[in-house]
């Protein structure tokens, strides 16, 4: 064994302890550090050459803390409101550490209970989102992968309807495909590109006036205009205004039209945890496939999401990985036959830990507190003449802009001026440049809302 490596092995408990201390410091200082480091500090450094001889884990830890850690964002913290970003609950973090420590490849039943742990966790998630046993679930690395997997199953379903097999003969066997959606997330187009259906297969369907929710009557007409079976992507929680398609109305169209219903509920599904907001997700269980992100509002570390489907048989047809040394498909296919990847970390463990630790009520409290924080920031900004809300706060996102001269450049200056205290991300809503503040971190409190509002106000004055 290499001498440095052998020395690290000899003092492994000490190294883990030093790493634990570094992690604790990083978390203890989350509140005091800038949310996003000033642009100058984030400028690219010259890369260091590959070390010929290493100096061991302690030296690597010191180098990381010196060179890289100061330039990372405080995205695990309470005022990082960009994109839709979750933190990591204490239990989720513990689960993630142990995932790495055990370093399981939980893709087959040949060597341990990793898959069973994943199935137990999927069962808990199903209950959380009010889904029934007809929805099988699989862990993937994020909502983009979940959407891609769901749409791959949709592709195979189209083949079943048309009497061809895209997984055997290629997507071209389907001929032209139409994927209808109101306000789909950008990852849907990416998935269609990956799947050989093409971004141009996406047919935009009009949304309701002033909304991002699909107009069910327009969807009805678009389906009537589609020759043959189609795919509908319903959206349960759009990123700009957290609008929800009327999932029951969309599903009811199946009485008249032949389509696969995929629902992107990446973070919107968590509305099901709050009794006051659960009606937004009514009809979620009618989906043939659906996407839920876990590294957002479940607050587990990256990378984690789940893909649910009613047709695991079609999923296995797409993703089966037949080899002499792997198990047969059977009724409960090994995970190696269900997702784009083969080897697969014990990704479910962080979700298992946080659900085991805090339960449905603990996670309900996180969701409801984040919604209350979004409402409070919405109220602060709508009461300030410098700002204008572009949509009501339906759930956990505040979509707002400057009341005067809301150009992309001015909004960028505003974001930059506030970035040490609060991080928000840019968007464009119906042609108007805007900003989004998304609440999905378990640490965020009303005190953070006041600090964020104050920072935005001061930044607006600064750039005036
Ligand atoms: C975040 C998000 C995605 C993509 O999720 P990743 O985890 O970044 O892959 C897809 N759809 C919606 C609605 C999202 O909010």
């Amino acid at each position: 064994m290499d001498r440095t490596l052998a020395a690290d092995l000899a003092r492994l408990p000490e190294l883990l302890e030093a790493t634990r201390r570094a992690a604790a410091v990083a978390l203890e200082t989350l509140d005091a550090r800038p949310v996003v480091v000033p642009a100058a500090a984030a400028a690219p450094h010259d890369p260091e050459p590959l070390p010929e001889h290493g100096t061991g884990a302690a030296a690597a830890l010191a180098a990381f803390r010196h060179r890289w850690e100061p330039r990372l964002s405080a995205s695990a913290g309470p005022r990082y409101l960009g994109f839709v970003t979750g933190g990591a609950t204490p239990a989720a973090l513990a689960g993630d550490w142990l995932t790495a420590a055990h370093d399981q490849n939980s893709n087959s039943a040949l060597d341990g209970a990793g898959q069973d742990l994943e199935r137990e966790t999927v069962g808990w998630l199903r209950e959380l989102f009010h889904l029934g046993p007809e929805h099988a679930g699989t862990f993937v690395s994020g909502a983009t992968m979940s959407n891609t997997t769901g749409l791959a199953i949709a592709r195979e379903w189209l083949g079943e309807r048309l009497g061809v097999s895209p997984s055997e003969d290629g997507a071209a066997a389907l001929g032209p495909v139409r994927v209808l959606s109101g306000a789909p997330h950008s990852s849907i187009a990416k998935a269609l590109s990956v799947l050989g259906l093409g971004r141009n297969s996406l047919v935009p369907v009009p949304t309701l006036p002033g909304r991002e929710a699909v107009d069910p009557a327009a969807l009805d007409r678009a389906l009537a205009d589609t020759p043959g079976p189609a795919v509908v992507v319903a959206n349960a929680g759009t990123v700009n205004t957290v609008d929800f398609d009327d999932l029951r109305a969309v599903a009811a169209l199946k009485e008249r039209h032949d389509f696969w219903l995929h629902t992107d509920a990446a973070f919107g599904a968590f509305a099901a945890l709050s009794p006051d907001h659960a009606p937004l997700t009514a009809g979620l269980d009618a989906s043939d496939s659906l996407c839920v992100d876990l590294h957002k509002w479940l607050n587990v570390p990256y990378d984690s999401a789940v893909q649910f489907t009613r047709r695991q048989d079609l999923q296995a047809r797409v993703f089966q990985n037949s080899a002499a040394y792997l198990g047969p498909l059977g009724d409960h296919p090994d995970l190696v036959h269900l997702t784009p990847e083969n080897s697969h970390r014990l990704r479910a463990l962080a979700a298992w830990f946080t659900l085991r630790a805090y339960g449905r009520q603990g996670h309900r409290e996180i969701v409801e507190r984040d919604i209350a924080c979004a409402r409070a920031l919405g109220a602060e900004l709508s009461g300030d003449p410098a700002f204008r809300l572009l949509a009501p706060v339906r759930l956990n996102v505040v979509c707002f802009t400057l009341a005067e001269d809301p150009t992309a450049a001015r909004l960028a200056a505003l974001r930059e001026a506030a970035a040490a205290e609060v991080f928000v991300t840019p968007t464009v809503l119906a042609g108007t440049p805007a900003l989004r503040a998304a609440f999905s971190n378990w640490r965020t409190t009303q005190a953070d809302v006041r600090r964020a509002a104050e920072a935005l106000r001061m930044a607006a004055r600064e750039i005036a």
Side-chain angles (χ1 to χ4, degrees):
M1 195 183 284
D2 171 86
R3 276 173 50 196
T4 317
L5 184 59
D8 274 2
L9 174 60
R11 53 193 210 102
L12 185 56
E14 220 179 289
L15 288 172
L16 292 179
E17 186 52 31
T19 309
R20 186 202 64 73
R21 279 198 304 273
V25 170
L27 294 175
E28 277 159 19
T29 55
L30 266 183
D31 218 34
R33 274 191 281 141
V35 179
V36 170
V37 290
H45 284 194
D46 285 337
E48 282 184 352
L50 168 71
E52 191 57 39
H53 298 284
T55 44
L61 177 62
F64 166 72
R65 296 186 75 187
H66 173 69
R67 263 190 90 217
W68 292 107
E69 203 171 40
R71 298 163 61 201
L72 298 181
S73 71
S75 62
R79 276 165 287 102
Y80 186 99
L81 308 179
F83 312 102
V84 180
T85 304
T89 65
L93 181 58
D96 203 66
W97 281 0
L98 290 172
T99 302
H102 285 281
D103 194 23
Q104 302 277 295
N105 181 6
S106 62
N107 72 359
S108 97
L110 294 175
D111 71 337
Q115 299 200 115
D116 291 337
L117 187 148
E118 173 162 333
R119 290 190 185 109
E120 178 169 287
T121 314
V122 164
W124 292 353
L125 292 165
R126 217 169 15 221
E127 277 189 56
L128 214 54
F129 304 122
H130 310 310
L131 301 174
E134 63 282 359
H135 277 103
T138 331
F139 273 77
V140 289
S141 59
T144 300
M145 236 345 132
S146 176
N147 280 329
T148 304
T149 304
L151 291 171
I153 305 168
R155 188 184 63 180
E156 200 61 18
W157 174 85
L158 288 170
E160 186 180 77
R161 279 294 199 262
L162 298 171
V164 297
S165 173
S167 64
E168 299 304 323
D169 300 321
L174 294 172
V177 165
R178 283 198 196 180
V179 180
L180 310 174
S181 191
H185 186 265
S186 51
S187 60
I188 298 296
K190 179 170 176 167
L192 295 173
S193 161
V194 170
L195 293 168
L197 299 174
R199 292 188 165 95
N200 290 335
S201 63
L202 195 53
V203 179
V205 179
T207 52
L208 294 167
R211 299 271 305 273
E212 289 186 302
V214 76
D215 176 352
L219 181 58
D220 191 6
R221 286 193 295 276
L223 283 163
D225 286 347
T226 303
V231 176
V232 171
V233 175
N235 301 294
T238 57
V239 287
N240 280 333
T241 66
V242 199
D243 214 338
F244 285 73
D245 290 354
D246 180 339
L247 300 175
R248 279 187 299 203
V250 171
L253 295 173
K254 282 200 174 187
E255 285 169 22
R256 288 203 297 286
H257 307 287
D258 194 23
F259 63 92
W260 177 272
L261 177 55
H262 174 81
T263 305
D264 182 354
F267 66 96
F270 286 85
L273 275 73
S274 160
D276 286 348
H277 300 87
L280 293 169
T281 63
L284 199 59
D285 59 345
S287 312
D288 296 302
S289 55
L290 76 120
C291 152
V292 183
D293 226 338
L294 302 179
H295 52 221
K296 288 177 180 164
W297 226 348
L298 192 68
N299 279 269
V300 299
Y302 293 100
D303 307 342
S304 188
V306 71
Q307 197 289 134
F308 290 104
T309 183
R310 291 168 171 273
R311 292 294 306 273
Q312 200 176 61
D313 60 322
L314 296 179
Q315 185 174 1
R317 239 192 259 167
V318 177
F319 294 106
Q320 62 174 290
N321 184 76
S322 300
Y325 66 95
L326 294 168
L329 279 175
D331 284 345
H332 297 289
D334 279 346
L335 297 177
V336 70
H337 301 301
L338 293 175
T339 63
E341 67 264 79
N342 277 355
S343 297
H344 165 125
R345 79 202 297 259
L346 187 51
R347 182 174 285 128
L349 188 55
W352 184 93
F353 252 81
T354 198
L355 290 171
R356 182 72 176 76
Y358 313 116
R360 192 201 303 269
Q361 292 305 330
H363 279 276
R364 168 185 169 177
E365 191 276 332
I366 294 172
V367 166
E368 292 188 329
R369 177 157 42 84
D370 282 335
I371 295 170
C373 285
R375 291 250 145 88
L377 183 67
E380 293 257 10
L381 297 182
S382 65
D384 186 319
F387 298 103
R388 183 160 69 86
L389 291 201
L390 292 183
V393 180
R394 290 193 183 86
L395 201 66
N396 60 329
V397 172
V398 186
C399 188
F400 65 99
T401 194
L402 283 164
E404 269 169 44
D405 199 15
T407 59
R410 271 169 49 83
L411 291 173
L414 179 90
R415 287 196 311 116
E416 179 115 353
E421 281 286 289
V422 60
F423 180 66
V424 294
T425 40
T427 190
V428 177
L429 187 70
T432 305
L435 298 173
R436 301 167 52 259
F439 292 80
S440 35
N441 190 301
W442 67 280
R443 289 176 179 269
T444 310
T445 64
Q446 293 286 343
D448 292 304
V449 172
R450 289 189 290 274
R451 228 169 121 176
E454 187 53 29
L456 290 169
R457 260 188 221 115
M458 278 176 49
R461 252 178 264 141
E462 223 172 275
I463 64 157

